[in-house]
Amino acid sequence: MSMSAEQEVLKQRLDEIEKRIQAACERSNRKREDVKIIAVTKYVGAETIGDLLAVGVEHIGENRLQDALPKYQQYGDRGHWHFIGHLQTNKAKEVVGRFAYIHSLDRISLAQELNKRGEALNQVVSCFLQINISGEETKFGLSPDDVLAFLQETSNMKHIKIVGLMTMAPVVDNPDEARFVFRGLAEWKDRINEWNFPHAEVTELSMGMSSDFEVAIEEGATYIRLGSILVKPE
Ligand SMILES: *Cc1c(COP(=O)(O)O)cnc(C)c1O
């Protein structure tokens, strides 16, 4: 089967990104297979998702439910879908059952709603706890000071499990300036695992975007969320 021009372009961009991922893995002594790409498709339409899947992308990330639903309707049976944006509590029920992972769990009310919906569908909802490491007021995410209490309060919720942590790094000129945020999130993974909560066995770190994914990989990212470098906004 031959590739369309659009697919050729995506494949070329993926090849370039792949080299950079491999180099970052080598620098930090990590295995390439431990880093997965989430293609963030918020800038583009469903047809680009079809092209991404056709050239081998396995993870699709969307941050707004209304935009994501029609795309999901078309391609939801292919790939693994990640909800990466801020999630309103009243929208949670539409995300559960569709998206395999929710990266933006950041408050008790949302945990309660996800748990309730998971129970109704008889499934366990895989979540990433979003932590605001940088402390910027404009960013969503649980404050590090509240993480322990959050885990205690959610420990009886049988239909959610926290498989990973997610953070948004500050916008900086030099990606190295964001390193402390990635390192900080990785430290929270170790700390949480030491607490041994049965519902929070954290193996994944969702961190790093187009401008800083190499630094994130060096600090332990297992999912990098790539938008503009892969699907350029018009
Ligand atoms: C848009 C977005 C990304 C991707 O950003 P790029 O800089 O375009 O790679 C990653 N994560 C979240 C939560 C986003 O909203």
Side-chain angles (χ1 to χ4, degrees), residues 38-44 60-69 71 81-88 95 99 103-104 140 166 168 225:
I38 299 175
V40 177
T41 49
K42 63 187 181 195
Y43 311 109
V44 293
I60 302 295
E62 282 281 333
N63 71 329
R64 289 191 57 213
L65 186 66
Q66 290 321 311
D67 297 340
L69 284 179
K71 300 176 189 175
W81 286 65
H82 298 250
F83 194 86
I84 60 173
H86 180 66
L87 183 55
Q88 288 171 261
V95 171
F99 288 80
H103 289 236
S104 45
F140 290 110
M166 184 273 227
M168 302 279 289
R225 308 182 306 267

Side-chain angles (χ1 to χ4, degrees), residues 132 134-141:
N132 184 357
S134 72
E136 289 169 282
E137 279 179 24
T138 51
K139 291 218 168 12
F140 290 110

Side-chain angles (χ1 to χ4, degrees), residues 1 4 6-7 10 41 44-57 60 71 74-76 78 81 231:
M1 205 180 75
S4 69
E6 289 80 8
Q7 290 169 4
L10 292 173
T41 49
V44 293
E47 65 288 352
T48 303
I49 297 182
D51 289 334
L52 286 163
L53 292 164
V55 298
V57 165
I60 302 295
K71 300 176 189 175
Q74 202 165 343
Y75 290 109
R78 294 172 56 194
W81 286 65
V231 288

Side-chain angles (χ1 to χ4, degrees), residues 65 69 72 76 81 93-101 121 123:
L65 186 66
L69 284 179
Y72 181 87
W81 286 65
K93 63 176 181 303
E94 296 191 69
V95 171
V96 177
R98 293 194 171 98
F99 288 80
Y101 299 97
L121 297 183
Q123 58 176 246

